[in-house]
Amino acid sequence: MICTFEKKIFENSTTGYCVAAFRTDDTSVPAAARSKYAHKDRKVHFTAVGYGIPATDSIDLELEGKWQTTKYGVQLVIEHFAEIIPQTIDGIIGYLSSGLIAGVSDITARKITDKFGINALSVIEKEPKRLAEIKGLSDKKIKKIVDSYAQNKSLRSIVSYLSPFGITLNKAVRIQEMFGDKSMEVLNERPFELCDISGFGFKTVDAIARKIKCKPNDKMRIKAAAKYIMTEVKSEGHVFMEQKELRYRCFELLNDDLKYVSVTDGEIRECIIELIRAKNLINNNGMIYLPHMFNAEVELAKKISERALTGVFQYPNLDSVVDAAQRRLGIVLTDAQSDAVKMCFKNNLSVITGGPGTGKTTVLKVIISVYESLTGKSDILLAAPTGKAAKRMAESTGMPGARTIHSALGLRSDSSEAESGIEEGLVIIDEMSMVDLSIAYKLMMNVHSSSRIVFVGDADQLPSVGAGNVFFDILRSECVEVTRLDTVFRQKGTSRIALNAEEIRNNGSKLLYGNDFNFITADTDAEALEILKHCYRQEVDDNGIDNVQILAPFRSRGETSVKKINDVIREMVNPFVGEENELFCDGNKLRLNDRVIQLKNVNGINNGDVGFIKSIYLDEDELKHAIIEFTDGIRADYHERELDIVDLAYATTIHKSQGSEYSTVIIPIMMSHYIMLKRNLIYTAITRAKNKVILIGEKRALMAAIHKNDSTKRNTLLAERIKMYTNELKKERDEENE
């Protein structure tokens, strides 16, 4: 049906979803869908809904879809649309100046048509260099017009094709960025390649594939399912999956929502074998890996083994230098702490582990001082997985310049390659339990062979968010020199937080309560939420919003989930004042002055960094941007469509809080969280607090967490590989010495 846009009724600027009024000469429009008002143009007027509909009457549209009865009446649900390019001078002027093409005003449009007439659009598309013939058009403006025209045409084709599947404008942009001018070819012939794009789950892509009549047992579909599941396995923290389990999960996924079993185990097995032969998957004795994960595990194990067996320069006067450092710093080390310091100068790689209050920071201060005395150098790198952890490391040691691991390696994102090596003589990595396999691999492959490396961490905390359990595996291998600091210094004024953390770590439940460690009883999630609101307001009033953090076990499930808490707290501390102060991205709503958290390592901003939206503005194309200022003073500009890597941060998950420290931590803990309640979870949560912990909920939930160890074993063979390579190297050296 040929139609003309009349007016916009509603539009979500982020998703591209639009409700609009149209007019047409087509009499096939159902009577119930027609506007009941008399229109002077005597055309049929109706309402349609869809994604990415061009909001201009300068071009006609060919609409295809289904009529659907809604609470607003009968509307056309658009499944496909095509632009009908105008064939008159006035029509072309209207199209170019409609706002669809960036950089083209009415004046510019007339200049283009004055020069090229009816062929103006063809010139822009096929002979763009000829635009330079128009006086007053700079090279920069020409490029903007040409790029926008091409992008507009390509993007609208993608949006139109995918509109029945509710694909947002942001996701359509990602398709275009990934495949460029081959986007439609991919959609029509190889739709499962979309699974390689973040945000495209297998089921969404599978629905798109049905549009091209893809058979359930098509090899393309089966292979996509297998690769997708392996990616999901990685996001679950695992490094590999047993082949039998992979086949089972493929079978479940591929036959879900089908009336009959359409994909057999034999077909799945055959496709997995073909993926292995093509090196899209690695089979290691029945353990299936993504290639980059297999390489990372093997090479990291080799590097750790080599360093574990590599001695460094011996210092006969080490004892006296350590004693002198203690006197200089006014520190008295315990025997275990002294051993930890000396260990770092006897080994190329060493590990220090211990909980809060066990003196890890004290040991690091002495190590730094001893290194400077022994070498006469200050080439020391202090690094941590997050910006906050690095900042805390600098503050606690009194040594400025601590960096994130990403910054030290020149990593622009988690998936990028290192752009710089680490040459410092002493490298200390704090919060090592947070470091996943991929980052640990990149770190170890880029540290100079002569550098001393010290890993510092708490083995009782949660494992890394990313795949692997590197710190625990290093400890488990028993091939690397380790000092365990397990004594909490119970001096006068010792925080109940540290004492209770030690008690929980040891599976004890005799907790000490007082001003710095509170438990407030709540019988229901709704009651807990109300108490939480009151506590948050009070603590923010007393300490400032930067110093108070809510930590919850679940991200999106229940009344005490991170999502629910964020929505409630935001309405309390930063209520709605107008649409001009809001941004939308993939259903996520953010406001001016919102407290937000970065979700990915991108362009110098680290995953877990917290900041505030300081301003919202419109660029020259009238697209919204947000300026976010993070706690370290860094300001970053985000296009509205880039805000899918940012979320509200009044509350965060306990997992996301690793490496951070706050003055006050408020933790809801209910039996509704039971599936998540584990000792390392509650231990990690309370050790994020410097001055005060407020637990809200049910005592039995707290006891359940304390007495339930983390039974979820991650699929990783790093410890076993370290042992194997260490033994092989020892054997080789023994044979060489014979």
Side-chain angles (χ1 to χ4, degrees):
M1 173 172 55
I2 307 300
C3 308
T4 303
F5 173 85
E6 187 176 6
K7 65 177 181 179
K8 190 188 300 178
I9 299 171
F10 168 80
E11 184 182 31
N12 185 314
S13 61
T14 300
T15 65
Y17 180 78
C18 184
V19 182
F22 287 86
R23 59 180 181 268
T24 182
D25 292 318
D26 197 316
T27 57
S28 68
V29 177
R34 300 184 185 191
S35 171
K36 294 181 173 53
Y37 298 100
H39 295 271
K40 293 181 180 179
D41 59 14
R42 298 186 179 180
K43 292 183 181 287
V44 177
H45 293 249
F46 65 94
T47 302
V49 299
Y51 290 84
I53 304 169
T56 175
D57 61 2
S58 300
I59 55 172
D60 288 334
L61 298 175
E62 186 174 1
L63 302 182
E64 295 178 12
K66 295 177 181 176
W67 296 101
Q68 194 172 84
T69 303
T70 72
K71 64 179 181 180
Y72 302 107
V74 179
Q75 298 175 325
L76 180 68
V77 180
I78 299 171
E79 296 179 344
H80 178 78
F81 67 83
E83 298 174 0
I84 301 173
I85 302 300
Q87 301 298 315
T88 66
I89 296 295
D90 286 343
I92 293 171
I93 292 172
Y95 175 65
L96 288 174
S97 61
S98 66
L100 295 174
I101 314 299
V104 182
S105 63
D106 183 67
I107 295 172
T108 302
R110 291 184 184 280
K111 285 183 179 180
I112 295 172
T113 54
D114 286 347
K115 181 69 178 178
F116 303 112
I118 200 73
N119 298 315
L121 298 181
S122 178
V123 169
I124 294 173
E125 184 174 359
K126 299 175 182 178
E127 301 175 277
K129 290 182 179 179
R130 292 191 61 192
L131 291 174
E133 298 172 17
I134 300 172
K135 190 176 180 181
L137 282 189
S138 65
D139 291 344
K140 184 178 179 182
K141 191 164 187 177
I142 290 172
K143 186 177 186 305
K144 187 174 184 178
I145 293 170
V146 172
D147 288 350
S148 179
Y149 183 86
Q151 185 181 43
N152 178 272
K153 186 175 180 180
S154 173
L155 188 59
R156 291 198 179 282
S157 297
I158 297 169
V159 171
S160 177
Y161 187 92
L162 297 176
S163 60
F165 309 102
I167 301 298
T168 66
L169 188 59
N170 275 347
K171 289 182 178 178
V173 170
R174 289 178 197 167
I175 293 172
Q176 188 182 54
E177 289 173 347
M178 173 73 82
F179 302 111
D181 58 5
K182 293 185 182 267
S183 295
M184 292 308 300
E185 179 186 320
V186 169
L187 291 173
N188 282 301
E189 298 177 16
R190 307 183 305 276
F192 287 103
E193 290 186 19
L194 296 181
C195 291
D196 294 334
I197 302 175
S198 175
F200 282 85
F202 177 82
K203 288 196 172 183
T204 299
V205 179
D206 200 26
I208 296 168
R210 293 174 193 173
K211 189 169 181 176
I212 62 169
K213 305 288 191 286
C214 178
K215 294 181 180 179
N217 63 346
D218 189 305
K219 284 189 174 183
M220 175 175 63
R221 181 173 183 260
I222 298 172
K223 290 177 181 179
K227 289 194 288 185
Y228 172 75
I229 288 169
M230 288 304 302
T231 303
E232 286 294 286
V233 165
K234 180 182 172 182
S235 69
E236 293 163 8
H238 301 298
V239 178
F240 66 83
M241 172 175 267
E242 292 185 18
Q243 186 171 0
K244 184 178 178 181
E245 178 66 14
L246 175 58
R247 294 205 317 267
Y248 173 76
R249 285 182 59 167
C250 279
F251 185 89
E252 290 287 297
L253 178 62
L254 290 163
N255 290 296
D256 190 34
D257 295 332
L258 298 178
K259 290 182 179 179
Y260 309 100
V261 172
S262 300
V263 188
T264 66
D265 182 66
E267 290 170 324
I268 294 169
R269 185 196 300 264
E270 182 182 347
C271 285
I272 290 174
I273 290 171
E274 288 182 11
L275 285 169
I276 292 168
R277 286 173 180 165
K279 297 184 179 180
N280 296 126
L281 297 177
I282 302 293
N283 182 6
N284 184 239
N285 298 319
M287 311 300 175
I288 306 299
Y289 289 77
L290 290 168
H292 67 281
M293 297 302 289
F294 179 74
N295 181 67
E297 187 175 81
V298 169
E299 295 303 321
L300 176 60
K302 288 179 179 178
K303 281 291 181 183
I304 290 172
S305 301
E306 290 169 3
R307 286 186 172 273
L309 295 177
T310 301
V312 297
F313 293 110
Q314 299 298 312
Y315 298 97
N317 60 336
L318 181 58
D319 287 351
S320 60
V321 174
V322 172
D323 291 341
Q326 292 181 73
R327 291 193 297 272
R328 187 164 53 251
L329 296 170
I331 290 171
V332 179
L333 298 176
T334 66
D335 289 344
Q337 290 174 322
S338 181
D339 290 343
V341 173
K342 294 171 186 177
M343 172 189 66
C344 298
F345 295 94
K346 295 176 181 178
N347 297 278
N348 189 274
L349 173 64
S350 50
V351 175
I352 300 171
T353 182
T358 57
K360 295 192 298 293
T361 299
T362 300
V363 171
L364 292 185
K365 287 179 179 178
V366 178
I367 290 172
I368 293 167
S369 181
V370 169
Y371 177 80
E372 291 175 336
S373 296
L374 287 173
T375 66
K377 299 178 181 178
S378 298
D379 59 332
I380 302 169
L381 171 66
L382 303 183
T386 67
K388 276 200 167 184
K391 184 180 179 182
R392 194 173 76 246
M393 194 180 186
E395 291 172 347
S396 62
T397 60
M399 185 175 176
R403 305 164 70 185
T404 64
I405 298 172
H406 283 73
S407 172
L409 293 172
L411 294 172
R412 297 183 182 184
S413 67
D414 289 342
S415 59
S416 65
E417 296 300 318
E419 294 184 356
S420 56
I422 295 173
E423 302 290 333
E424 286 84 353
L426 176 63
V427 178
I428 302 175
I429 308 297
D430 200 10
E431 296 288 355
M432 192 62 197
S433 64
M434 295 178 61
V435 179
D436 63 27
L437 176 65
S438 176
I439 300 303
Y441 161 71
K442 291 173 184 177
L443 172 69
M444 294 299 287
M445 296 301 290
N446 289 281
V447 178
H448 197 279
S449 59
S450 65
S451 301
R452 293 173 181 81
I453 303 175
V454 183
F455 289 153
V456 184
D458 187 345
D460 295 303
Q461 285 191 35
L462 291 166
S464 58
V465 174
N469 201 354
V470 174
F471 191 60
F472 183 75
D473 281 344
I474 291 173
L475 296 174
R476 191 162 61 88
S477 74
E478 299 181 339
C479 295
V480 179
E481 289 293 326
V482 177
T483 299
R484 300 177 188 272
L485 305 176
D486 52 12
T487 301
V488 175
F489 296 97
R490 296 173 179 265
Q491 55 201 33
K492 186 178 180 182
T494 297
S495 164
R496 293 180 183 87
I497 299 168
L499 298 175
N500 286 337
E502 182 189 23
E503 179 75 2
I504 290 169
R505 183 172 63 84
N506 293 320
N507 194 23
S509 55
K510 296 179 179 178
L511 304 183
L512 304 172
Y513 297 99
N515 293 333
D516 58 351
F517 199 96
N518 300 335
F519 192 101
I520 303 173
T521 300
D523 295 327
T524 66
D525 284 53
E527 185 184 358
L529 184 59
E530 286 302 311
I531 296 171
L532 187 150
K533 285 167 58 181
H534 173 76
C535 290
Y536 185 82
R537 172 63 79 185
Q538 186 63 54
E539 291 298 319
V540 166
D541 288 345
D542 291 345
N543 303 296
I545 196 168
D546 281 335
N547 298 311
V548 183
Q549 186 63 53
I550 302 167
L551 303 179
F554 280 115
R555 172 164 173 73
S556 56
R557 187 192 301 181
E559 289 293 300
T560 52
S561 67
V562 167
K563 188 175 186 324
K564 178 68 174 180
I565 294 169
N566 270 327
D567 288 343
V568 169
I569 296 295
R570 192 251 300 278
E571 295 307 318
M572 182 174 72
V573 300
N574 190 28
F576 173 80
V577 294
E579 290 185 2
E580 68 277 6
N581 290 325
E582 289 194 331
L583 308 102
F584 296 86
C585 184
D586 282 350
N588 190 26
K589 179 169 64 178
L590 298 171
R591 286 177 190 161
L592 182 67
N593 299 321
D594 265 340
R595 189 169 192 253
V596 294
I597 185 170
Q598 181 85 4
L599 302 177
K600 290 184 179 179
N601 293 301
V602 178
N603 298 329
I605 311 298
N606 300 293
N607 185 358
D609 284 354
V610 173
F612 289 86
I613 297 178
K614 290 295 185 179
S615 67
I616 295 172
Y617 73 93
L618 294 175
D619 64 17
E620 59 185 8
D621 297 323
E622 295 192 344
L623 296 171
K624 281 186 177 180
H625 289 245
I627 302 295
I628 301 177
E629 184 175 303
F630 293 91
T631 49
D632 56 4
I634 295 176
R635 293 172 72 93
D637 189 320
Y638 292 76
H639 187 287
E640 188 171 35
R641 293 172 187 168
E642 298 172 328
L643 287 169
D644 57 342
I645 62 171
V646 173
D647 203 359
L648 293 175
Y650 305 102
T652 66
T653 62
I654 296 169
H655 283 80
K656 185 63 73 174
S657 74
Q658 292 183 85
S660 298
E661 194 173 67
Y662 312 94
S663 178
T664 299
V665 166
I666 304 172
I667 309 162
I669 181 163
M670 307 294 296
M671 289 305 293
S672 59
H673 303 150
Y674 185 78
I675 192 172
M676 292 291 292
L677 296 181
K678 297 181 178 80
R679 189 185 308 150
N680 58 359
L681 185 87
I682 194 66
Y683 176 86
T684 299
I686 69 170
T687 55
R688 299 309 91 202
K690 290 190 291 185
N691 300 319
K692 183 186 284 190
V693 170
I694 302 174
L695 293 160
I696 302 169
E698 300 172 89
K699 273 281 181 69
R700 59 181 181 145
L702 176 60
M703 295 300 110
I706 292 172
H707 298 310
K708 186 167 67 169
N709 205 4
D710 189 358
S711 57
T712 307
K713 183 180 180 299
R714 291 192 166 185
N715 292 341
T716 163
L717 291 174
L718 180 62
E720 288 76 11
R721 294 190 192 278
I722 293 172
K723 288 179 183 179
M724 180 183 71
Y725 290 127
T726 300
N727 290 331
E728 288 179 359
L729 283 171
K730 283 181 178 178
K731 186 178 178 180
E732 287 177 9
R733 294 182 182 185
D734 290 342
E735 290 174 352
E736 289 174 358
N737 294 328
E738 287 179 358

